Amino acid sequence: MIGYAAEGIVLILTGTAGIRYLHGKEFFSSRKRELLFVAVMTVMLLGVWAALHMLYPDNFWLVNMRLLFVASVLWPVALRDLQEHIIPNKIVGAGCVFWLFTIAVQLFVSTETVFASFLNSVIAAAGIFVVCLLCMLIAKGSVGMGDAKLLFMMGLLQGINGLFSAVFFSLIVSFVEACVLLITKKRTRKDGMSFGPAVLVGTTISIVLAGM
């Protein structure tokens, strides 16, 4: 019951904070669009929550809390990146603080696993950040610093396997999106493309299919 309650609180708080963030930035052109966005986000997040419990009943509830946090905050991240090509530092920072909070909780509820979990997260975050920096140096314009910071946060919260799976599916979604935009001539090869929406879709697919 503690796990269910904690996961529910994470969903409610992060979801509400995300909507308030977008509302404050006036991203919605009408009240109708805002309500539609809220409805779709709510249904999708509840679906992710249900999938975690039905498909992965052995998942540690702290792991589910981290996954639900990621799934929730990617919604406002994706919308702002789509409209303004910006990854909000406040959301990335909040994710890092939340990860530290879960590590502190793990010290009390699962002491024997906390060191391995901490190390796994740090390796994932540092590894993906270095990879992103190399991509920026080798292929300018391929990855932005905002994307690097977002993936760093996801590495902390999802660990090595979870981050690898999320990035894998995100790249597939991004490739399909790019092909569709090129075919429909809505983009050219020289045009940039927001990575945030692809990360949202890819990570959601990854969490549901892999449970991490």
Side-chain angles (χ1 to χ4, degrees):
M1 291 302 295
I2 293 177
Y4 277 101
E7 293 166 19
I9 290 172
V10 167
L11 272 181
I12 293 171
L13 292 181
T14 53
T16 302
I19 294 302
R20 291 187 65 182
Y21 171 82
L22 293 173
H23 184 78
K25 295 289 183 179
E26 299 182 350
F27 277 97
F28 303 104
S29 58
S30 67
R31 182 62 175 171
K32 184 178 179 180
R33 292 196 175 200
E34 182 175 359
L35 291 174
L36 178 61
F37 181 88
V38 171
V40 173
M41 184 185 77
T42 301
V43 170
M44 293 298 295
L45 290 177
L46 289 176
V48 171
W49 190 16
L52 284 172
H53 284 281
M54 288 189 296
L55 301 176
Y56 312 99
D58 295 330
N59 264 19
F60 185 28
W61 57 271
L62 269 174
V63 171
N64 285 348
M65 281 177 60
R66 292 167 184 157
L67 294 177
L68 291 170
F69 182 93
V70 171
S72 296
V73 299
L74 283 178
W75 283 84
V77 165
L79 186 58
R80 184 160 191 196
D81 191 31
L82 181 64
Q83 294 190 7
E84 297 183 352
H85 304 290
I86 293 174
I87 303 294
N89 287 328
K90 286 184 178 180
I91 293 179
V92 173
C96 295
V97 171
F98 179 75
W99 171 72
L100 288 172
F101 168 75
T102 61
I103 288 294
V105 173
Q106 196 170 354
L107 277 171
F108 295 96
V109 300
S110 184
T111 308
E112 66 280 2
T113 65
V114 67
F115 178 75
S117 176
F118 178 87
L119 188 62
N120 185 290
S121 294
V122 170
I123 291 174
I128 194 64
F129 194 76
V130 170
V131 169
C132 288
L133 290 179
L134 290 175
C135 288
M136 283 187 272
L137 292 173
I138 297 172
K140 292 184 178 180
S142 60
V143 179
M145 182 55 71
D147 299 324
K149 289 184 287 187
L150 176 63
L151 293 174
F152 176 87
M153 179 201 75
M154 290 170 59
L156 290 177
L157 291 164
Q158 293 184 272
I160 296 172
N161 292 334
L163 178 65
F164 179 84
S165 178
V167 171
F168 175 76
F169 283 106
S170 297
L171 290 174
I172 292 177
V173 172
S174 182
F175 175 75
V176 172
E177 180 186 4
C179 289
V180 171
L181 291 174
L182 288 173
I183 292 172
T184 57
K185 296 183 179 180
K186 293 183 178 180
R187 290 284 192 281
T188 67
R189 293 184 179 181
K190 294 182 180 180
D191 293 329
M193 193 173 70
S194 300
F195 191 45
V199 173
L200 167 62
V201 177
T203 302
T204 300
I205 293 172
S206 171
I207 292 173
V208 172
L209 293 183
M212 58 186 178

